[in-house]
Amino acid sequence: MTQLIVLLLIVNLGIAYQCYRNASLKGYPVKTFTGLGLVPYFNLVVWVYLLFLPDLKPFSMNEKQPL
């Protein structure tokens, strides 16, 4: 039983890391999506949501775009 709980914790942390990585690559709030990725049973929904969200980096207001 302990091995199952450890395995579930490792999988949960792996999905939370993927949420963190996808949020940082796409330009979304990292703390929000990582926090939501740490919630069990909800983290898969957040991960799939991040996979299909568009990339925000090209639309960033901080970068100057050539005309």
Side-chain angles (χ1 to χ4, degrees):
M1 187 67 159
T2 305
Q3 292 174 344
L4 178 64
I5 293 172
V6 169
L7 177 67
L8 289 175
L9 283 173
I10 290 171
V11 169
N12 192 21
L13 290 175
I15 293 173
Y17 174 72
Q18 290 297 323
C19 290
Y20 166 79
R21 191 176 63 84
N22 283 334
S24 63
L25 286 175
K26 291 189 175 190
Y28 288 98
V30 176
K31 290 180 183 178
T32 303
F33 282 101
T34 304
L36 291 173
L38 286 171
V39 178
Y41 301 112
F42 189 63
N43 56 6
L44 287 174
V45 175
V46 173
W47 187 24
V48 170
Y49 185 67
L50 274 170
L51 288 175
F52 289 108
L53 280 174
D55 192 8
L56 287 181
K57 292 215 177 187
F59 305 110
S60 178
M61 298 296 275
N62 296 336
E63 297 177 10
K64 295 181 180 178
Q65 298 177 355
L67 294 175

